[in-house]
Amino acid sequence: MKAVCWEGTKDIRVQTVPDPKIINPRDAIVKITSTAICGSDLHLYNGYIPTMESGDILGHEFMGEVVELGSEVKNIKIGDRVVVPFPIACGGCFFCKQKLTSLCDNSNPNAWIAEKLMGYSPSGLFGYSHMLGGYAGGQAEYARVPFADVGLFKIPDGLADEQVLFLTDIFPTGYMAAENCNIQPGDTIAVWGCGPVGQFAIRSAFMLGAERVIAIDLVPERLQMAKDNGAEILNLEELDVGEALKEMTGGRGPDAVIDAVGLEAHGMGPEGFYDKAKQAVRLETDRPHALRQAIVACRKGGTVSIPGVYGGFIDKMPMGAAMNKGLTFKMGQTHVHRYLPTLLDHIQNGAIDPSFVITHRLPLDQAPHGYEIFCNKKDNCIKIVLKP
C-alpha cells in the first residue's frame, strides 16, 4: 500500500510499504477513505518529538471502512464505516474505566521510554513516535487498529466523511479545551492560536455558554476564520496582547485562557530569540511563548486550559503569577472516546459542521507538498484533508 512516511526532519515521502495485518484478536483493518494532517504532526515534521525512526507511517486523524476483523471484535462488522480516535485505549484499565482514555495503561508497548521522561506513560498514539507505541499511522491506504472493539466508532448513514473526520481528534480536542475552562454564563474566554484546534475551541466555548471569545494569532486568514466563528480578534504582531485583554475586560482579564499553540509558539523580540536559541542547542525542548502570555493575562482565580502539545521541558515560566493568582491548570491529550457520542449529536442536529475548517483537499501522493504549505502557512492553508 501507499503510506506517508517520516524520513527525517522536514523529509516526508509517500512510499510503498507492506499492508497491515491482523496481529491480535482484538485488531481490525480499516481501508482509509479520508485522513488529515494535524498541527501536532508538524512537531514530527520539524523534528521536535524524539524516538521517530526512518520509515514511520504518520497520521492520527483517519476514518474509513472495516475490511478485516480479529476474532474477538464482536461489536463491529466488516463493511461498517468508522472513525478512529487518535489515542489507543484498551477499555478495561483503571484509566479507561474513568473515561480517561488518553491515559490508558495497556496500549503503549514502549511505556518504559515515556516513563523515563514523564514518570508514567500516557496511552499509545497512532503515528506519533516509538515513545508512544511505535504504531503505524493513518496517512495511508489501510491501517491496523488495536483494541478495535473500543477504538472504532461507527458512523450513521447520511453523513459525509468531512463532517465526521475531525471526531478523531481536533473537534474533541477543541471541545475538551473549552470544557476544561468550566465556562459559566457571561464568561470571557481568550484563545491563543487560531489553527484548527483553536477554531474548534472557539466554537465549543460558545456552545458551552461563553458570552465572549477573544482569539489571538498572527496569521490573517486564521484570524478571519476566528472572526467568522464569532470571536473578537487580536493580532499579536500589532499590539500588546496583555494590555489589550485588560482593556477589553475592564481590567479584570479573561475568565479562562486556552493555549491551543503548544511547543512551537512564535515569540516576539528578545523572548522569541531566547526560546529559539535555547531550543536550537537543546537546552529547552519547547517554545512556550503563548503559555507564558496566557498565564499572565488570565484573571485571578481563573483557569488555564492547555490542549496545545508540549513534549518536554520549558523555561522562564511565570509560576509566581500562576500561584499567587490562584490559577487552575487543566490539560492533556484528549480523551476522544468520551466525547464522540455528544459531538456526533451536535453534528447531526446541525449545531456545527466541522468541515468549515478545511481549506485544502489533496490526494495522498501530494502529502509532502501538504506538509510544506501547512508548516509554512502558505496558500492560506489552515487544514488539509488527504484522500488515499
Side-chain angles (χ1 to χ4, degrees), residues 28-32 64-69 77-80 142-143:
I29 304 297
V30 173
K31 180 181 180 181
I32 296 167
E65 177 185 337
V66 177
V67 294
E68 192 174 351
L69 289 172
K77 304 188 304 295
I78 289 175
D80 281 350
Y142 295 88

Side-chain angles (χ1 to χ4, degrees), residues 232-373:
E232 302 161 62
I233 59 174
L234 298 175
N235 188 323
L236 62 87
E237 288 187 317
E238 297 177 355
L239 43 71
D240 183 309
V241 170
E243 289 302 314
L245 287 170
K246 283 184 179 179
E247 184 175 336
M248 296 170 78
T249 58
R252 189 171 69 186
D255 299 288
V257 295
I258 296 174
D259 171 10
V261 181
L263 66 88
E264 290 188 72
H266 294 277
M268 302 290 115
E271 181 185 336
F273 177 79
Y274 170 89
D275 280 333
K276 287 185 177 180
K278 289 204 75 173
Q279 191 180 53
V281 295
R282 296 296 188 262
L283 292 177
E284 181 181 31
T285 62
D286 306 1
R287 302 195 304 264
H289 175 74
L291 181 56
R292 293 189 192 111
Q293 268 197 350
I295 290 170
V296 173
C298 189
R299 72 156 168 84
K300 292 182 287 186
T303 299
V304 179
S305 172
I306 311 174
V309 171
Y310 286 89
F313 300 93
I314 55 180
D315 201 357
K316 295 290 187 288
M317 291 308 297
M319 289 308 296
M323 185 272 171
N324 286 288
K325 291 198 296 181
L327 302 184
T328 296
F329 283 69
K330 298 198 77 174
M331 65 195 83
Q333 297 284 2
T334 309
H335 312 303
V336 173
H337 306 69
R338 176 199 296 181
Y339 296 103
L340 287 176
T342 297
L343 299 187
L344 180 61
D345 284 346
H346 283 312
I347 296 169
Q348 288 185 295
N349 68 25
I352 187 171
D353 179 352
S355 65
F356 78 85
V357 79
I358 301 170
T359 55
H360 290 67
R361 298 164 177 86
L362 299 173
L364 193 69
D365 285 341
Q366 291 186 25
H369 171 66
Y371 270 87
E372 196 268 332
I373 63 171

Side-chain angles (χ1 to χ4, degrees), residues 159-177:
L159 294 172
D161 275 20
E162 291 184 356
Q163 290 178 277
V164 296
L165 173 60
F166 303 134
L167 289 172
T168 59
D169 179 0
I170 56 172
F171 186 11
T173 296
Y175 190 89
M176 185 171 119

Side-chain angles (χ1 to χ4, degrees), residues 110-242:
N110 298 328
W112 64 274
I113 303 176
E115 287 167 359
K116 287 185 176 181
L117 179 65
M118 305 176 194
Y120 297 91
S121 174
S123 71
L125 305 182
F126 286 103
Y128 217 80
S129 83
H130 291 264
M131 176 175 68
L132 297 176
Y135 290 99
Q139 289 170 9
E141 293 179 308
Y142 295 88
R144 180 179 75 92
V145 178
F147 303 111
D149 51 334
V150 175
L152 295 180
F153 188 77
K154 187 175 177 181
I155 296 301
D157 294 336
L159 294 172
D161 275 20
E162 291 184 356
Q163 290 178 277
V164 296
L165 173 60
F166 303 134
L167 289 172
T168 59
D169 179 0
I170 56 172
F171 186 11
T173 296
Y175 190 89
M176 185 171 119
E179 185 184 78
N180 281 344
C181 291
N182 188 30
I183 294 170
Q184 303 299 311
D187 274 1
T188 296
I189 311 300
V191 179
W192 273 256
C194 297
V197 168
Q199 300 294 340
F200 281 111
I202 291 165
R203 292 290 294 268
S204 297
F206 283 125
M207 285 194 290
L208 290 169
E211 183 172 311
R212 301 170 69 195
V213 178
I214 303 169
I216 300 116
D217 206 299
L218 49 72
V219 181
E221 56 269 21
R222 292 185 173 195
L223 287 167
Q224 184 60 51
M225 183 177 282
K227 187 175 181 180
D228 293 343
N229 281 321
E232 302 161 62
I233 59 174
L234 298 175
N235 188 323
L236 62 87
E237 288 187 317
E238 297 177 355
L239 43 71
D240 183 309
V241 170

Side-chain angles (χ1 to χ4, degrees), residues 36 38 40-41 58-62 84-86 126 128 138-139 168-169:
C38 181
S40 54
D41 288 328
L58 299 176
H60 57 268
E61 296 182 328
F62 62 98
V84 184
F86 79 89
F126 286 103
Y128 217 80
Q139 289 170 9
T168 59
D169 179 0

